[in-house]
Amino acid sequence: MIAGTDKVVTFHYRLNEPDQEVTEDSRDAEPMVYLHGHQGMLKGLEEALEGKKASDQFTITLSPDQAYGPLRDDAVQRVSMKHIINPSKKKIKYKPGMTVQVNTAHGPRDVIVKKVGLKNMDVDTNHPLAGKTLVFEVEVLDVREATAEEVAHGHVHGEGGHQH
Ligand code: ZN
């Protein structure tokens, strides 16, 4: 079976920037699983996966526009400390450069701490990979037909997907 609209695709990837060390390797955790054609995957990566089948391997370089977009100058925002997500419940000493999660109207979002105050924090809401050219080394593990329910929901159920 080949990857295309309404197929569930499982793959391993290694992510790095050109001429840099590997920054992310899915083999350290779980493979990536997504429903093709439902905006659940980086567009450039999804296009490259189209037509691929299990055991196919390829490397693709994505420009910032094909990946997480350009760096925006206006992306620094002041947020209240109460919107910072701290799952550990322990007090964290926040420092500039740390990545934290902020609750937004669109759900949790990774941001980078710029400046820490008492009640507020200035954070950079650019995606940590914004403005970067990314190289993905991909190995397709599995392609299967999505269930009618998965297509209706627009996401994968079961292992690696939504558990509900
Ligand atoms: Zn669902």
Side-chain angles (χ1 to χ4, degrees), residues 153 155 157 164:
H153 286 205
H155 55 231
H157 290 163
H164 67 131

Side-chain angles (χ1 to χ4, degrees), residues 13 23 32 37 41 77 90-91 99 105 115-116 133 142 156:
Y13 68 93
T23 54
M32 184 72 95
M41 179 51 50
Q77 287 177 18
K90 285 187 220 144
K91 199 167 163 56
T99 300
K115 205 171 124 193
V116 183
T133 296
D142 184 60
V156 177

